[in-house]
Amino acid sequence: MNSQYTAKDFKNEQQIKWCPGCGDFAVLNCLHKAMSEIGVAPADTAVISGIGCSSRLPYYMGTYGFHTIHGRGSAIATGVKVANPALSVWQITGDGDCLAIGGNHFIHAVRRNIDINIVLLNNKIYGLTKGQYSPTTERGYVTKSSPYGTIEDPFNPAELAFGARANFFARTIDVDLPSTTECMIAAAAHKGTAVIEVLQNCVIFTDGIHKYYSDKENRADRTIYLRQGEKMIFGKESNKGLVLQGLDLKAVTIGEDGYTIDDILTHDATLHDPTLHCKLAAMEGPELPLALGIIRNVEGINYDQAVVDQIHRVQANTQIKTFADLMMSGNVWEVK
Amino acid sequence: MNSQYTAKDFKNEQQIKWCPGCGDFAVLNCLHKAMSEIGVAPADTAVISGIGCSSRLPYYMGTYGFHTIHGRGSAIATGVKVANPALSVWQITGDGDCLAIGGNHFIHAVRRNIDINIVLLNNKIYGLTKGQYSPTTERGYVTKSSPYGTIEDPFNPAELAFGARANFFARTIDVDLPSTTECMIAAAAHKGTAVIEVLQNCVIFTDGIHKYYSDKENRADRTIYLRQGEKMIFGKESNKGLVLQGLDLKAVTIGEDGYTIDDILTHDATLHDPTLHCKLAAMEGPELPLALGIIRNVEGINYDQAVVDQIHRVQANTQIKTFADLMMSGNVWEVK
Amino acid sequence: MNEQVKVKELDSVVIRFSGDSGDGMQLVGNIFSNLAAILGNEISTFPDYPAEMRAPQGSLAGVSGFQVHLGASKVLTPGDKADVLVAMNPAALKVNKNFLKPQCVVIIDEDSFTENDLKKALFQTNDPFQELDLKNVQVISVPITSMTKAGLESYGLDNKSAVRCKNMFALGLICWLFNRPIDSVTPFLKKKFSKKETIMQANIKALTDGYNFGANTHATVTTYHIETNEHPKKGFYTDINGNTATAYGLIAAAEKSGLPLFLGSYPITPATDILHELAKRKDLGVKTVQCEDEISGICTAIGASFAGNLAATSTSGPGLALKGEAIGLAVMAEIPLVIVDVQRGGPSTGLPTKTEQSDLMQALYGRNGESPVVVIAATTPTNCFDAAYWSSKLAVEHMTPVILLTDGFIANGSSTWRIPDLNVYPSITPPFVPDSIKDIWKPYLRNEDTKVRYWAVPGREGFEHRIGGLEKDYTTGVISTDPLNHQIMTDTRQEKIDKIADFIPELKVEGSVDSDILVVGWGGTYGHLSSAVNSMNASGKKIAHVHFEFINPLPKNTHEVLSQYKKIIVCELNLGQFAGYLRMKYPEIRIDQYNKVQGQPFMVSELIDRFTKLMEEK
Amino acid sequence: MNEQVKVKELDSVVIRFSGDSGDGMQLVGNIFSNLAAILGNEISTFPDYPAEMRAPQGSLAGVSGFQVHLGASKVLTPGDKADVLVAMNPAALKVNKNFLKPQCVVIIDEDSFTENDLKKALFQTNDPFQELDLKNVQVISVPITSMTKAGLESYGLDNKSAVRCKNMFALGLICWLFNRPIDSVTPFLKKKFSKKETIMQANIKALTDGYNFGANTHATVTTYHIETNEHPKKGFYTDINGNTATAYGLIAAAEKSGLPLFLGSYPITPATDILHELAKRKDLGVKTVQCEDEISGICTAIGASFAGNLAATSTSGPGLALKGEAIGLAVMAEIPLVIVDVQRGGPSTGLPTKTEQSDLMQALYGRNGESPVVVIAATTPTNCFDAAYWSSKLAVEHMTPVILLTDGFIANGSSTWRIPDLNVYPSITPPFVPDSIKDIWKPYLRNEDTKVRYWAVPGREGFEHRIGGLEKDYTTGVISTDPLNHQIMTDTRQEKIDKIADFIPELKVEGSVDSDILVVGWGGTYGHLSSAVNSMNASGKKIAHVHFEFINPLPKNTHEVLSQYKKIIVCELNLGQFAGYLRMKYPEIRIDQYNKVQGQPFMVSELIDRFTKLMEEK
Ligand SMILES: Cc1ncc(C[n+]2csc(CCOP(=O)(O)OP(=O)(O)O)c2C)c(N)n1
Ligand SMILES: Cc1ncc(C[n+]2csc(CCOP(=O)(O)OP(=O)(O)O)c2C)c(N)n1
Ligand code: SF4
Ligand code: SF4
Ligand SMILES: [Mg+2]
Ligand SMILES: [Mg+2]
């Protein structure tokens, strides 16, 4: 893009207070970079967050920012966007902030399809409060609040988002900066709620939790980066691919068992029916690669625009232009 | 079943205060009937609700009951069940109570798979507060709070439940008493969170909203009642069926276009993969019939049982049996 | 009873229309009060719905009433008891038995007083009047249903539609009773039934039949003649309830301040009509988001405020409880926000359709930490307009959340309202950062006089900044955990609110200013307290009245006013919250209390009794 | 400085361990205080974490401290200022500069005072002591890091692991300074590193090296000898912080009442440790549900209470705000519930890791409607046990929600605790409906003495019933909108709480009971107020002290006590909430205030100053 901005325009001088090595740093850098490419002025950008380590991010932005209260980021961002649709509105949130206390606002923002971009930093833990399990923590995981292991299954953020009828969902890993940046740029281009889940490493409480997928060495074999219109191919040698068998996705090796490149699925993030997106988002190792990239990207009516449209429609057909007009439009009599 | 109870044992003398003709009456009757067949004593049954017309239901039960606050039924029912797993716990809720203010507790109860039965009376409106749109109201619908039509798409409760990883989901129509009763009985038998969506008519604010599907005349053609292990057949003449084409469900007529009974899908509510259940639940007219009956019914670990199991496991391996034991187990010194 | 036609000349009269929920009593009540207002009467009305749920037809729980008080000069309440009751069925009679004046007129629909109807209303005998011990009443028993049907035979209506017109027959009767020309009614019916010509005609016919029946009948009763106000202030008038007035106040403030209006809300009785009213106002560009819950209601509003709108959220008590945490955020972020709480009977779900003043302490203190906000209480249905306007003004100009307390009584009650001229309302000037101080500006730079920070709205270049709920450094606005700074910020937030006392009107004592006794009230009890005080003064019992609209901060002359009276009695519809608050602020002032927690407004008569007793006490 | 070894005999001493978050200061602080306690000292400790977020290594924001106050007899606070500071880096020195006594000893790790380290702590020069104007201190500068490493060469540890042992070297030094035998330390290390033999040995080695360094060094300083308490009460002792004591109090109450314990909670600083502690107690059958939010936390607890458990929920201020609506439900439903609020700095997110007493008003009034609850405030870390026990007892026996207020200071602070004998604690008897009254029982049938309704727990045949948040009929318990009934129920709910005054201990005045001046406090300021008062009385300045643990209802003799003093000063860590509450209740009593809102506890010295001034005022 031809943006007049550089990443520096989106930074500020605040001392950053995450633990050295925290995955949040990478996400912050990506956001600076992405915004510089998106080309909306810092003054026209608002970054909203709740509470959590991840939610501190707005302090490190050179834009307008609001570090609000725990879990309410989606609702507050909704208000910002509806009040002033000209702003580019971002919500930064964590797995606790977004999916525990903030779950309801999240699913309703997604359902309404407000044009905000939600960056969900998923470290599968409550970092800020020093290590309790979150709604994305795997069953059995031992944390300060689950000394004998948790006894609940986690949400898959993508599944929940699709259950709430999400039109845009992307997934990336903190260590993969170019992809994260790319997904952020795409999210900004999408009109409606865009959710980007970033698998983020917490060096203190869940160090290595995403290692199985994020390790440089195995990443190519254990993840697949989906690209619009391209074959679903992965693997160190780009020789593995995904095929559909009945309703099941299967990973195959091209050239083995009679599979050719033509058998491999082509990614279409714009399919209206979310079934395949949902299946892709649900893939897990070791049988299947973890899906990364933009899994779904569908156009829909976005709420903030619909508000504006409805106002225009009504205003085109009314005599009531001012408070005084309104007053005289009712059941009024005059005393002379 | 061989229950010692009759419906009467689950009723009480309170004057019922729903509008004459309200669909809630039918659901109440079904619940009385279902409970009498389930065979759990009224004293061992707790019916919990939030606020709404539908949420008044506990007052009309001969069981223990708690009419709580708006949206919190799932959380309160969770507490009841975890505190005393021996109770049969039911939550009665409406589309507003459950999916607007109560959305977060609902998805988390479903995720945790607490063994409660949630009866969701969906009339696509806030009845008690006299007619505002709800999260299940169709886009464009005019209500008191949307004088120019709503500008949001609704949730499909099934999709949201599946997004939260529901193991049991059934759908029925208020006027179909036997099916509703049957689904309630199955929900009670299921260990874990069971959601039953009842399409309920509000004679005051959304009269006829479910008519397209509920009308006696067309019901057979416009809905399909799914039964475990049976072919997915519907229609007045039982000659229509569902087939899968790629990832799409299609309604066909048996004997036409070369389709035979063998092509028709067989319903298996116990499939672990929710994909097909999700597709079935998402079906809509006019192309496809609305799915009724038990759409998904899968076994999983339920939370309240897991709590008990974990306690037993820990207790089997500890010397700490009393408060006094606990006190002496730490870093203790004696002053003599 | 029933002697001959006498025309009573009255100063004011209270009429209560009562019937089953389906009988259309709200409609006739509304029409009649409008009519009266147009003809130059002052009015005050109050609808008395059954609880939210519909109850069986004919049952006590299903009774729906509408009371209107009309008079020649200022009418302050809808009245304690009725001079005339229209009871469309036995349940309506029973429910209202304690609200009838001696010698009042009761009009009943004979056709609905059958044995069956009496049973539904749980009467034991066939003589409801005797059973209720109603002796001194003038009963006009009219076969309203059958006469309505008979009169409409030629209209080709089905039975149900014809019967539905019986409320108009009743209205016709009342018009006769009060010397009101029925042609003034027809415009209302024409508007209401504009799309149903036959129904409109049928309604007019029933109305006329009712009027004529009254005029022709030999069963004569007192009829009434109310003076009309000869010299009302010139201008345009309408009749308005408190919720609508609140909505209009916000709209007016938005227009005056030049800020777009945003409402984030979740439906809840009895506040929902504010949302309904504002949702209609797309014509004026009002944005309403019906949220998933109350927390989202206030949080969307906080977001909208951050983005530069005049932001409001509306709710009732349980909803306010849910908003507490977010109000704290608005306190800390120092952004404008109007929070409307239409109080209802509590605690918990309580009595959702009833009125109460029991959210005062919650409004003042229902949040963690030291988090002062402005609290304003509207006094009457029409005052809701001014109170909402003032709430917006203070919120915007002082960068603070303002909680506006109204209540179920004034929210649903209505009175005549002279349409305001916005030009004479004080201006509302958002404290936008002037470009001139760009160099020294920091997000929490304050006007040192008012302690108000400057507002830099997103979209403005060069003022990008971050705010949040953590404590901030007084000078730089960045997060600070410094102990002394926290003290300074805490004191400053308090001082900012305290200083608002310089910007609000002082108290004005009404009644006999120089008496020994001062009646103190706040919010929605104004009408009743004022009526009681006026009536006592009129009968020579000197008593003064002061009424609080501004609760936090209190008006500057509060102490001065209170300290001038020997006896002070604080009257409120709770267990004494405002009394406690005053004691906290002015422990040296001795205060008596009069409290009532019954889901009902005061009765003027009980107030007069209490005040008279207080006078007599040594 | 640095003359020769002197042994100082002291009554009490304050030691502060301070370093970077990663330096293990909490661990050595803990071990040292345990050690002291075991050797017969009274202790009071307070960890002073940085804000929740980790800050860059070596930065001011990253400093983590642990203060311990040990003494021969009752030690009431962790102490205002330190006699000895261990500063592992320049940042630690800087952060603590205002908390040092004159002539105190400062031990620094020479290796961490390089130019680079000084820069990280924003020093301008190379002489930090001069720059901070610290003159009257005795500095022991020891190359702790390098000596630790040198001592561990033979252990085959990587550099990081070896350096990590430096905290033990420092501990060894301190043991030497305080004449503490280091063999008492080894059991702690054995336990802590039981699974890592080499690490354990390395730690012991570093400890010994530190001790020996002290003993052998020629850089002599004052060393200390603290008397040990000769006659402590016999029994078993441990050392406990307030959050753990709170958890234990609930466990004890559950055992005594025979009810299973249930906690529904959502993590929040500084309350989370209560959840952690109870989550561990599966052995005792405790059920904890970590909920999706605070509302679910309290709602699951309400459900558990309905189902017959002893139910609790734990949170801090912002979480309490979210629970307001549900507390109202518990009030209306009249079920037992303990709500623990560990207060922190507010408003909004405020100062999450700091202490404050600013949730009092919220606890009393933060809900819609007239909804009285019991409010109790714990006074010290160990008193949290009793306060939690009492909260449970009153909740269960009086069928009411109880809000237990603790605060960040006592929650994280710890002291020596004599392990209680549950047999001497009062019994807890749930008011289960007796079978004998089955025939007349209704869900809201009350014990007319206490106004407590009987408890019928689901599962019991013949008592099936429905309750809820709507107003109920006094006699039958079914929904009622009757005005008078609402008044009666409102009054009854209030009366039920008021009557609890009959069941709680009366106030006991401490200090010089017969002086003119009364210091009034509540909750977690007990230690500081008491220390100040004791010290003044010891120096002949007569002053009395009364401390409130029961806030609502107030103890029965409150008015009597207060009215005996000429001057009353209410001291609290807020802007005067309890003072206001007392004025509301007893307007005739004149009250002064001393307030501090700095996220910090009082300092004993500032209290003494203030009280002395008050004495001198006419
Ligand atoms: C109302 C409220 N409840 C609880 C908290 C405590 N709290 C702060 S952040 C947090 C969880 C953070 O987890 P997540 O969103 O995953 O962020 P992370 O720190 O892992 O980035 C909690 C429980 C709070 N600040 N406010
Ligand atoms: C905290 C709170 N917010 C709002 C309300 C008002 N309220 C009561 S029921 C309801 C919606 C009910 O809708 P639904 O759950 O669909 O029930 P229905 O009446 O349609 O059966 C609302 C908004 C309330 N009672 N409490
Ligand atoms: S605790 Fe974890 S998530 Fe938080 S800043 Fe440190 S590494 Fe990052
Ligand atoms: S308003 Fe609708 S949902 Fe409520 S009772 Fe009446 S018909 Fe039923
Ligand atoms: Mg996290
Ligand atoms: Mg509904």
Side-chain angles (χ1 to χ4, degrees), chain B residues 54 94-96 121-127 134 200:
Chain B
S54 36
D95 43 316
L121 288 89
N122 184 0
N123 56 9
K124 304 197 174 192
I125 198 82
Y126 295 168
S134 91
Q200 173 242 329

Side-chain angles (χ1 to χ4, degrees), chain B residues 17-25 52-54 123 125-131 200-207, chain C residues 52-54:
Chain B
K17 290 206 176 165
W18 290 312
C19 308
C22 175
D24 291 352
F25 285 99
C53 294
S54 36
N123 56 9
I125 198 82
Y126 295 168
L128 189 68
T129 47
K130 303 196 167 164
Q200 173 242 329
N201 193 43
C202 167
V203 292
I204 305 296
F205 298 112
T206 52
D207 198 19
Chain C
E52 295 143 347
M53 187 67 53
R54 259 136 236 258

Side-chain angles (χ1 to χ4, degrees), chain D residues 83-103:
Chain D
D83 296 287
V84 177
L85 171 71
V86 177
M88 299 298 279
N89 68 12
L93 182 68
K94 195 176 214 172
V95 162
N96 290 303
K97 69 156 196 258
N98 290 331
F99 299 99
L100 302 178
K101 289 195 190 152
Q103 293 303 338

Side-chain angles (χ1 to χ4, degrees), chain B residues 37-179:
Chain B
E37 297 194 18
I38 291 162
V40 174
D44 292 327
T45 304
V47 184
I48 312 296
S49 67
I51 302 285
C53 294
S54 36
S55 289
R56 291 266 174 139
L57 190 143
Y59 287 120
Y60 314 132
M61 301 296 298
T63 63
Y64 282 91
F66 199 176
H67 177 234
T68 70
I69 43 178
H70 194 35
R72 315 303 171 189
S74 299
I76 292 173
T78 295
V80 173
K81 184 69 186 180
V82 173
N84 183 357
L87 298 174
S88 168
V89 180
W90 295 75
Q91 182 196 346
I92 311 297
T93 182
D95 43 316
D97 190 63
C98 186
L99 302 175
I101 191 168
N104 208 28
H105 309 305
F106 172 69
I107 59 178
H108 282 273
V110 166
R111 176 176 68 80
R112 292 198 189 96
N113 204 26
I114 313 277
D115 187 17
I116 58 176
N117 309 307
I118 303 178
V119 183
L120 163 51
L121 288 89
N122 184 0
N123 56 9
K124 304 197 174 192
I125 198 82
Y126 295 168
L128 189 68
T129 47
K130 303 196 167 164
Q132 299 79 30
Y133 64 96
S134 91
T136 58
T137 305
E138 303 301 328
R139 183 184 286 273
Y141 201 79
V142 171
T143 69
K144 286 216 192 97
S145 55
S146 58
Y148 308 104
T150 76
I151 51 171
E152 15 189 299
D153 286 320
F155 282 135
N156 174 332
E159 281 177 25
L160 185 65
F162 292 146
R165 307 188 128 185
N167 280 340
F168 184 107
F169 189 92
R171 190 190 283 139
T172 70
I173 306 185
D174 54 1
V175 289
D176 182 357
L177 281 75
S179 306

Side-chain angles (χ1 to χ4, degrees), chain A residues 51 53-54 70 94-97 123 125-129, chain C residues 325, chain D residues 267 294:
Chain A
I51 301 286
C53 294
S54 37
H70 195 34
D95 42 315
D97 189 64
N123 56 9
I125 198 81
Y126 295 167
L128 189 68
T129 47
Chain C
E325 192 209 2
Chain D
E294 281 85 354

